[in-house]
Amino acid sequence: MNDLRGDAERSARFAGRAIIVTGAASGIGRACALRLASEGADIVAVDLDAAGLTALVDEIAATGRLCERLEGSVVDLGLMDAAIERAVTRFGRLDGLVNNAGIGGPMGRFDRSTPDDFDQMIAVNLRSVWYGTKAARAPMIASGGGSILNVSSMAGLVPNRHHSLYGMTKAAVISLTHHAAMDYAGDGIRVNALCPGPVETPIFEQMRSNLGDDAFESARRQLIRRTLLGRFGQAAEQAAAAAFLLSSEASFITGIALPVDGGWSISDGQTATRPSAPD
Ligand SMILES: NC(=O)c1ccc[n+]([C@@H]2O[C@H](COP(=O)([O-])OP(=O)(O)OC[C@H]3O[C@@H](n4cnc5c(N)ncnc54)[C@H](O)[C@@H]3O)[C@@H](O)[C@H]2O)c1
């Protein structure tokens, strides 16, 4: 049965495919790039972080796959064009795009954010995703179809206090995904969003400098208490869901925003470790 395939068969899901991953030098993007490469994909990795890209390229090379690197900011739309161009010239095709690069941005009461904060959050978390999704269409059609995965957040589905700009951009990424899924369905291109719950990556640690140590630790405890599985997620768990949505196993799935959140979104806020109620 299809859904009971073993690791050996699963490991070829992306053989011969070329996939761009933005924000690939760290956290969830890095885990996605490694997972996709481990299943046969050649990768174009985009990030600001030169050292992180070098480490990723080395790690992917060790698996026998190819990884092209592009250093720069996704705010520069020309970089997204260059990434697509690189996939087509180097690998002859573009099959997948993971619009993952993002920032947490400032935290604070709604009225405290500034127009500059707003513009920066839109440019990094939304405009780049919009542009990548737009620019990938033609080369994906030329490759016989494709799959786009936009990394949103649970914060795009449920508001987080004092994190309005982040939540607004992530909610917009979900709407963008719905609209692109509608317009690209006839082209054989699926477009989905991933909504991670809390994963302890550097972006999450940014909250420490935003909030200070005490408030950060208290927010951390609260997040764990609210997550049904009683822990943070791991980047590799996000990458597993991302790989599924990008793969042909998800061939009838488009336009969804998938929570990968350990039950955070349906939690009643009680601690996950409390004993079950008696029958
Ligand atoms: N970690 C979480 O708890 C969590 C939860 C929900 C959603 N997300 C989302 O997942 C995505 C990845 O986050 P992460 O947790 O892996 O964070 P991370 O900080 O570990 O990785 C983000 C990567 O994006 C890169 N990046 C940032 N701005 C960029 C830019 N302008 N141009 C190019 N690269 C840029 C960074 O250099 C970094 O390598 C983000 O979109 C984030 O909003 C994370």
Side-chain angles (χ1 to χ4, degrees):
M1 269 171 69
N2 211 21
D3 57 347
L4 294 179
R5 294 183 320 158
D7 281 352
E9 197 178 338
R10 190 195 69 192
S11 69
R13 284 195 299 190
F14 300 104
R17 304 289 188 217
I19 303 179
I20 298 172
V21 181
T22 70
S26 170
I28 294 169
R30 175 180 163 77
C32 285
L34 290 170
R35 172 72 189 241
L36 297 168
S38 79
E39 295 194 43
D42 292 320
I43 304 293
V44 177
V46 178
D47 208 291
L48 289 168
D49 172 1
L53 284 176
T54 302
L56 178 74
V57 169
D58 290 349
E59 208 165 328
I60 288 180
T63 71
R65 299 311 328 154
L66 302 171
C67 181
E68 289 285 310
R69 53 179 286 166
L70 271 111
E71 189 187 329
S73 172
V74 293
V75 169
D76 169 11
L77 302 184
L79 186 76
M80 295 304 294
D81 288 330
I84 290 170
E85 170 81 14
R86 186 72 68 90
V88 172
T89 52
R90 185 74 174 86
F91 304 132
R93 53 191 304 117
L94 179 66
D95 304 285
L97 167 63
V98 184
N99 281 311
N100 163 78
I103 51 174
M107 298 188 76
R109 207 177 59 204
F110 191 92
D111 59 300
R112 294 208 170 118
S113 39
T114 67
D116 283 348
D117 293 336
F118 180 93
D119 289 346
Q120 189 201 19
M121 293 302 286
I122 294 287
V124 179
N125 285 7
L126 179 60
R127 189 165 167 266
S128 68
V129 178
W130 166 76
Y131 189 77
T133 302
K134 195 172 123 64
R137 177 175 175 267
M140 282 186 177
I141 291 174
S143 305
S147 182
I148 299 175
L149 185 71
N150 297 324
V151 180
S152 174
S153 169
M154 284 314 302
L157 294 169
V158 180
N160 277 334
R161 191 177 295 275
H162 292 168
H163 215 181
S164 58
L165 291 178
Y166 182 74
M168 286 157 57
T169 59
K170 293 299 185 180
V173 165
I174 294 171
S175 177
L176 178 165
T177 299
H178 291 158
H179 286 92
M182 284 178 171
D183 286 353
Y184 290 7
D187 301 322
I189 300 171
R190 297 180 298 103
V191 190
N192 291 296
L194 187 73
C195 294
V199 181
E200 283 190 295
T201 62
I203 209 177
F204 191 80
E205 276 291 317
Q206 274 173 24
M207 272 175 68
R208 188 185 288 280
S209 49
N210 277 328
L211 294 172
D213 282 345
D214 288 350
F216 175 79
E217 287 305 333
S218 144
R220 211 177 154 274
R221 280 194 300 276
Q222 214 177 327
L223 273 171
I224 291 174
R225 194 162 55 242
R226 191 179 157 165
T227 302
L228 294 187
L229 296 181
R231 62 173 175 85
F232 282 83
Q234 292 169 6
E237 293 173 310
Q238 301 299 330
F244 166 69
L245 287 173
L246 287 161
S247 78
S248 59
E249 287 183 281
S251 52
F252 201 50
I253 301 178
T254 195
I256 69 159
L258 180 69
V260 180
D261 68 346
W264 182 89
S265 48
I266 60 144
S267 169
D268 59 2
Q270 302 297 310
T271 172
T273 52
R274 83 193 153 103
S276 303
D279 291 335

